[in-house]
């Protein structure tokens, strides 16, 4: 993990301190929270530049083959932290640690405390709207959460996520889980990320 700088700007000090009380309450109530500008523009630009070098083939990364010059632009790469030290350091960035620990401490599934661990990473060079229709990311899994880090400013054209506010706290019969998409009924046949069609 990169060494912590000796003096941090005020916004970075707040990130290392964790969520505010208002953010913690937002997470408890809604199941999600925004930590605005957690990473500086320079940090985001550095990762984008690094991954553009990977895409162009100027920086090798296992698990990724750069497209040929006449091929379509690659859209994404999965599990980049396994193959690339820069991506691993970003996944384990100290700025993520305190906010994630605060979320885990208030996990509504009863899994509290513990140190956050990064277990999956994905990098998108291009938006995915052309390849993804209606689908759901996220099956209720105790102690786990998704973290989306936009490296550029988002708007209606290039972002953002649609979140089902409060769905983390619905009674078990009202939650939409992957199995609900596999059985006969309202959601049958809708796309999931569980590997079936």
């Amino acid at each position: 993990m990169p060494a912590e700088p000796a003096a941090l700007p005020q916004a970075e000090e707040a990130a290392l301190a964790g969520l505010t009380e208002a953010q913690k309450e937002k997470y408890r109530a809604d199941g999600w929270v925004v930590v605005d500008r957690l990473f500086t523009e320079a940090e985001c630009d550095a990762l984008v530049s690094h991954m553009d070098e990977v895409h162009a083939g100027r920086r090798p990364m296992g698990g990724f083959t750069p497209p040929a010059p006449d091929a379509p632009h690659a859209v994404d790469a999965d599990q980049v932290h396994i193959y690339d030290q820069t991506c691993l350091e970003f996944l384990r960035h100290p700025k993520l640690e305190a906010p994630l620990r605060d979320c885990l401490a208030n996990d509504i599934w009863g899994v509290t405390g513990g140190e956050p661990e990064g277990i999956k990473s994905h990098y998108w060079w291009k938006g995915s709207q052309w390849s993804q229709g209606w689908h759901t990311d996220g099956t209720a899994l105790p102690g786990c959460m998704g973290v989306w880090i936009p490296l550029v400013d988002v708007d209606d054209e290039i972002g953002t996520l649609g979140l089902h506010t409060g769905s983390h706290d619905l009674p078990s019969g009202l939650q939409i889980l992957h199995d609900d998409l596999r059985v006969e009924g309202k959601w049958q046949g809708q796309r999931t990320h569980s590997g079936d069609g």
Side-chain angles (χ1 to χ4, degrees), residues 56 58 113 155 167:
R58 293 186 291 269
D155 57 28
S167 62

Side-chain angles (χ1 to χ4, degrees), residues 4-19 38 94-95 98-99:
E4 188 176 315
L8 296 171
Q10 190 174 10
E12 292 186 34
E13 286 177 0
L16 292 174
L19 299 179
L38 181 63
K95 287 183 182 181

Side-chain angles (χ1 to χ4, degrees), residues 85-107:
Q85 184 65 29
T86 298
C87 292
L88 176 63
E89 289 173 3
F90 206 85
L91 177 72
R92 295 171 40 182
H93 200 289
K95 287 183 182 181
L96 290 169
E97 192 173 326
L100 289 175
R101 189 181 301 114
D102 286 344
C103 289
L104 290 170
N106 295 294
D107 190 276

Side-chain angles (χ1 to χ4, degrees), residues 67-144:
D70 58 342
H73 191 291
V75 173
D76 65 324
D78 197 19
Q79 296 294 65
V80 291
H81 73 283
I82 294 173
Y83 307 106
D84 184 89
Q85 184 65 29
T86 298
C87 292
L88 176 63
E89 289 173 3
F90 206 85
L91 177 72
R92 295 171 40 182
H93 200 289
K95 287 183 182 181
L96 290 169
E97 192 173 326
L100 289 175
R101 189 181 301 114
D102 286 344
C103 289
L104 290 170
N106 295 294
D107 190 276
I108 61 96
W109 298 98
V111 179
T112 58
E115 295 298 312
E117 297 178 88
I119 60 170
K120 175 152 177 49
S121 61
H122 207 107
Y123 185 90
W124 293 86
W125 282 281
K126 288 192 163 197
S128 62
Q129 63 273 20
W130 64 271
S131 67
Q132 296 188 42
W134 187 99
H135 73 280
T136 183
D137 285 329
T139 295
L141 189 58
C144 291

